[in-house]
Amino acid sequence: MSHLFGHNGAENTGYSQPEGLACATKPVVPAGLVRQQPARWPRLSEPEMVRHYTWLSKRNFGIDTGFYPLGSCTMKHNPRVNEVIAQLPGIADIHPHQPEHHLQGLLSIYYEMQHMLEVCAGMDQVTLQPVAGAQGEFTAVRCIQEYFRLRGETQRTKVIVPDSAHGTNPASAAMAGFEIVEIPSRADGRIDLDALAAVADETTAAMMITNPNTLGLFEADISAASEIVHQAGGQMYYDGANFNAILGITSPGLMGFDAVHFNLHKTFSQPHGGGGPGSGPIGVKAHLAPFLPGPLAARREATPEERTMAVDEHWYHWHQPEHSIGKIQQWHGNAGAVIRCWAYYRRYGNGLTTMSQHAVLNANYLRHAIHREAKDAGVDHLFVDGAETEVAKHEFTLSMQPAKDALGISAMDVAKGLLDRGYMAPTVYFPLVVPECMMIEPTETESKDTLDTFAKHFVQVLKCDPETLHEAPITTPVRRVDEVYAARNLCLRHPFEDA
Amino acid sequence: MSHLFGHNGAENTGYSQPEGLACATKPVVPAGLVRQQPARWPRLSEPEMVRHYTWLSKRNFGIDTGFYPLGSCTMKHNPRVNEVIAQLPGIADIHPHQPEHHLQGLLSIYYEMQHMLEVCAGMDQVTLQPVAGAQGEFTAVRCIQEYFRLRGETQRTKVIVPDSAHGTNPASAAMAGFEIVEIPSRADGRIDLDALAAVADETTAAMMITNPNTLGLFEADISAASEIVHQAGGQMYYDGANFNAILGITSPGLMGFDAVHFNLHKTFSQPHGGGGPGSGPIGVKAHLAPFLPGPLAARREATPEERTMAVDEHWYHWHQPEHSIGKIQQWHGNAGAVIRCWAYYRRYGNGLTTMSQHAVLNANYLRHAIHREAKDAGVDHLFVDGAETEVAKHEFTLSMQPAKDALGISAMDVAKGLLDRGYMAPTVYFPLVVPECMMIEPTETESKDTLDTFAKHFVQVLKCDPETLHEAPITTPVRRVDEVYAARNLCLRHPFEDA
Amino acid sequence: MVDQLPNRGRETEMLSQMGFKSMEDLFADIPAEVRFKGDLPLRGPQSEEEILSDARRLLGANLALGSRPSFLGAGLYRNYVPASVFQLVTRGEFLTAYTPYQPEVSQGMLQAMWEFQTLISELVGLPIANLSLYDGSTAAAEALTCAVRVHNRKASQPNTVYVSALTPPDKRSVMENYCQGAEIDIRTLEHNPDGTLNLEALKEAAGSCGVYVEQPNPLGVLDEGLTAVKEIVGEHTALIVGVQPVSLGVVEAPGHYGADIVVGEGQPLGSPVTGGGPLYGIFACTQPYLRLMPGRIVGRSIDVDGKEAYCLTLSTREQHIRRHRATSNICTNETLIALMGAMHMALLGPDGLRELAQRNMQACQRAKEILSETPGVRLVHPSAHFNEFAIQVTGNAEACLAYLDANGITGGFNLASWYPDLTDQILVTTTDQTSLSDIEALAAQLALWTTHQEVSA
Amino acid sequence: MVDQLPNRGRETEMLSQMGFKSMEDLFADIPAEVRFKGDLPLRGPQSEEEILSDARRLLGANLALGSRPSFLGAGLYRNYVPASVFQLVTRGEFLTAYTPYQPEVSQGMLQAMWEFQTLISELVGLPIANLSLYDGSTAAAEALTCAVRVHNRKASQPNTVYVSALTPPDKRSVMENYCQGAEIDIRTLEHNPDGTLNLEALKEAAGSCGVYVEQPNPLGVLDEGLTAVKEIVGEHTALIVGVQPVSLGVVEAPGHYGADIVVGEGQPLGSPVTGGGPLYGIFACTQPYLRLMPGRIVGRSIDVDGKEAYCLTLSTREQHIRRHRATSNICTNETLIALMGAMHMALLGPDGLRELAQRNMQACQRAKEILSETPGVRLVHPSAHFNEFAIQVTGNAEACLAYLDANGITGGFNLASWYPDLTDQILVTTTDQTSLSDIEALAAQLALWTTHQEVSA
Ligand SMILES: Cc1ncc(COP(=O)(O)O)c(C=O)c1O
Ligand SMILES: Cc1ncc(COP(=O)(O)O)c(C=O)c1O
């Protein structure tokens, strides 16, 4: 083990600094505000620091380490040039409060990204301000809320979500002050139009749904659902976490949605960084556009004088929507993430459709390969599809309930068995509607060989002795971590007393 | 296992390229020169390539991974800003044939480095052209050869090296056409002046030696040795591999040497890169300076016109020594490595002495700690010092002969046991004069805690059951590699036939 | 594009193994009426080289702060971040991981975040810190809703919080958005003309759910009075202090003068300004807030062999478990930027942080000294500042800034964008990166500006 | 400095544990007469920030090739190297490792180098490749001494090698230095006026130990005649071909037309020009040369469990075993740069290499087309070129290059520096990075130059 707070031997700093500027009088902190005890930070030299974080990194699994079939998370490859671009001073060293003529490059990229997302989603206006998917949801729901307020429809206090929805959907709507109405899915995992019709009424502000849904199924009835919600006067909200499946093939706009958020860190490959940063732009139809948080990037023809500073024939500028809800992040969103996603977009351009096709190809292929291997090995009775479907989209679900019933092997056991074989585990126990669910999303950046080999390993795990599997993982830096112990014996920081 | 040549499924490239320039007529390769069979290179997409090399890196041990006490190699921390500097376009994207006014920055840094090394070594002129220590040796020996040729002393066909010398010393001298005379060390590991006196004569071109020597001992008799060689009309050559021990404390110049090479990749921390690149400048006394390979960086006062392009009040330019031996590398040496070493030098400046002090402090402390721990654990009879000494310099040797005799544990066994404990092994079986030698060099960038812990682990290894130790390592990516099998069943490239 | 898709060229083979004939078969379930017709009306794909060259061109058209003297701060600060931070944080194992749901293979990030929690906890003087929120503004906003959740029952002013009048409107707007769902009333705390909090007026806030103030405050003022706030507002009102983390190398940790929650923009530790994001929000609190606070938190635990191991804990507060009853909707957060923060903090150590804070203060002091002698320039607040301060210029601040800009200086922040009445005030920010010649250039141009104004006046 | 020395402040503690009083005690064995007096007369230590800022200033004073149209090649070539190469090669495990003496913990670099050997072997069409030498020039020089070692016994011209007259003098000088110790006589092979090798004159080389030629040759000419060389010189004479590796995407591998040894400057694959180093030298050969060749080589083996494993092999050729009888003195080599090469090659794949070669050739062709129509410019050789070619200009080449330079163009290589007689010829190099507008700018300035010359003539 390498412990940050263990390195306390010498009076080190890992980073010698130049002298500060000489002053006529020494600056002083008001007496009552002078820091009494310095933070008990470690004293590491640079070599110690480098070794510590190198060591930590070796105890972490990323896409670069191996296959990462985490359903709903779209763990695709992060193109490396994007990191180079994001470190250019023209993005790393700019301040959101600089005047527009200092930021023509940024503004033009914002404009291009807004436009691209509008095209792909079939929306009229996009804002890049939200910094994560959940914040995008919240922002869009807030816009819908203000939209109805302005129309005087203040009775619309409810938001409908399917029971398979991601937790952020109800959480975001609730945060905005809405009441949540959950509707059950049909036995085949799809939306239940009757259940929807039963709840959609004049109190409905919106319905939130993702399509393909969290089971990886395309909701063929989506137009009908939109129809029902719109009939009731509500708005249709599209959770774009699964956008990777349909880009260039269909769009939320075509399906009748009024608002959508994008998880750029999924579809457009901003690296996930162990939990973030992300970027969660939203797009809306024209009637919601006046409510978006500002500023948005806009453009007009450049004047001859401006042309000397312009990046093209346009002058890019910020624009404040008329009834803007204001700000949901203090600046212009995660500009650094937007740049990376812009670089990602540029690599595909109008070929984004191919990206989605390969994502769906890989998902279906992996599903097929697992079933085939399992059949050959005689373990296909240990799991069933999370939902019957001819073709999945970019991800699919398996239910381990049969294995649980027959052998006491849970989805978690299988997940840990996969860790031992060098894989990140699929998403487990989500969506809740599939018992002992494993949700598998390979993404388009995995090779057929990787998928074939994973299918073999998956089946190997199922053929393990259950006892052995309960012990898994055994090859990882630590073995099964006791989460109950963690919650019961809260230790949320280094206890210096022990040291 | 990840195999580069295993990825052969699809028609990929890992790097899509833009269209080439349109031409009026298509360029053609002469008919008889058209490539018939493309190289059977793999077809990897970027994600596959990134994962392959990430995987490989995880099977490699560097300083960043852990303690690397490889004697004679000075495996110190490589400051990270140096990598940033080496990637600036002002070094990465310059061509050695650019005119001098395009390269004032480079020239000034070369000048500064030459000067600094001259000061530190007590030499009159340094060239940065040799790209490694061995090439530096060869270059210096060539200069000495031409020096004697010009003086008509062509009978000087012999170079004396102690039996503890690094292999490159005799190899370099032989490559230049010299005959090698090896002299034995004294029982205490130091130079045998009598043996030296016995061989030094009018056929002696030079003596090559490092001080502290390869046992980590300072040759107190060095002035006497220089005297003997000089009396015989020979030149004294200093192998600078151990320069880390004496910087600012003594210098080859003070010790009477005429020529010296530096291993910048050791003393000045150019990262070793798994085998290279390095940089092996040499410094010489004035009489040898006219023979140095050119060009050297020189300077004069800048003219008013030049001042507009100059980096300071000087104009830097290349300079060709009068009797130059010509070139030993086609360009100006490893400029990228020189820049990193310059950045390293700047961090210490005249504090380089402190660096050497800490290198020696750490070596002596570790030697002390190992002996102390071994005594406490009752295993101090299993090894002896490679040479009796009150104080070692930057490294020290231990002989495992007692362990070998008593238990059949070899230096190699101990080395492998250390690998299992997360350490790189010390240098083993060098120098040859110490039986079952382990040569340990901690460097100044290791903390006391690391040294203490290593000493404990070292003793743990000695306490192992010999059988267990013969099996070591068991926790490494592979176990003991069969080098005999490799030599008998030469497989030097991927055998595509098998695939 | 091709270089990202390993199965290009194997489509038919894969499809036929599944019994499909074409890609189209995979999308048969998507009704025709919602299908795109034709190609996406977007530009064609580019190669890495072309993208990089376009990026260089477009981003090169932005004016980097470091390319000339710059005094723009106002919430985001350019400190030097050591090279090792960037090199380590971009290691694929950190960069390309998801949230550590499988702790066995995510110990690296989990331990790093647990260490981050410790570093922040020590920095601000509170026992608990989460592993970051989106940024300083959402951290402040979430602190308000958290305070209401904790205190609403006992508060004499339920559903009410008080926020410093100096709070930048953009940040205040985020607060409004976050608070309106819970129907929280946000009231304003007045300040004295010298920039300090009006402690008399503050009494009104006693018994509310929380008060939000900043140290140093948005005018750069170090306000000693804040040490008295907790006493005034009382036990059942959360004292929430927003901090510039670097200042805590010399300025007392709010936890030591009664803060219940400390929030702040983490950016100055570990991250470049990056156009305003990604950043990371600091959130630390005392025990009573723990189970109602937003965001992820890592706990130290053991594995089945009893070995030290780390995992996410207290997840029952979070959306993926508690759904619409969660304490926040946050899911993706700013872990990697927080990791950069942790690395920077680890490199600095206590002495390094103090030095860094001093360098910021010295640059500020020097700037104050020089500008106080510059004709036409007046320092607005006599008080102690950390690394920024307001000046009053001759004439209009906006015009003055435009003048400075035209003369090669990014001159600071026009305070009228926050406080519309202050049409002649500029917030001047210095950091460790400010040089004497930068300050002198600013002073010289301000003097010229003054002359111009006087001439045209 | 302090940030690099973890034991600063613990010196006394450590010394006293050893029974020492001061640092001085550790140096008691160094006699006074050889001790430095006083401090090193050098500048004081700097911090990372200051070093970086000085580096930016000094290196910023160099004129980067990419900052304007540039046609300078002549042995080193600017190809685009994908970003992933730099990011992966700087991973600490690669960057900070030493030579893989302990194979159990060095499998990564060993396997990568074994793969490198395969990539090079496939590229040049020979069965064996080592894991790199210092650069192209030392590789060529070591090839000559190797050829002599192998053939000296049977050669009718022992101790003699023949080298193309076009070989750049700097490279030739390296050869002389490396060959003189073994008393090897280096003779010169003449060329035809069209730039190709004089095959008639070549006959003289038959029975020598080796001949060294380049493809494309230093004038950029693709010389079909080289396919006849092996036949002419015979079995006991090593045919050594120096290559520009990128060309082998379209040009036949020398191994397929009789080369016994192929050497070359690896730089264009994987590495920026970097002021001429670090580079890596390619060295490949056929079976008979294996045991007498220079440099390290990796073999595939097994571990005690029979698992695939890699290690250095054939070390008995090397200095650390064979000492003065070693086949070369090389120890530290260019592994990391070779690794960059391997990564670039792996990314390119066979199609990518062909494309890259074509892009180089297309730029060259376009430049030839445009310059052939530029007044006052003549293409010297009618033949096929890969990515560079000689032009004759009006007047003096040196003056012409100075004119181009003054007008913002780095115009190519003055061939007089290699071949003093050619005072009016410039070697113009293009790569994948050359744009049409670069070429047009060159042509325009050359046309202007011609006009000036004509006017002043
Ligand atoms: C379906 C779905 N919706 C919303 C989100 C929330 O997005 P974010 O994590 O970016 O806040 C996620 C992320 O995991 C998701 O999978
Ligand atoms: C004592 C000694 N001399 C010379 C050398 C050769 O230096 P290089 O490896 O840079 O060629 C070494 C390197 O290991 C060495 O240790």
Side-chain angles (χ1 to χ4, degrees), chain B residues 71-73 131-137 165-169 210 214 239-242 261-263 265-266 272 275 278-280 430 439, chain D residues 98 101 134 296 319 329-333:
Chain B
S72 185
C73 300
V131 295
Q135 215 194 22
E137 298 169 13
H166 194 261
T168 51
N169 291 185
T210 182
T214 45
D239 175 331
N242 296 340
H261 86 257
F262 308 89
N263 297 74
H265 41 301
K266 297 178 180 179
H272 278 279
S279 177
F430 178 82
M439 188 180 177
Chain D
Y98 200 76
Y101 291 136
Y134 298 137
R296 295 230 164 82
Q319 48 74 26
N329 69 336
I330 198 168
C331 176
T332 289
N333 51 45

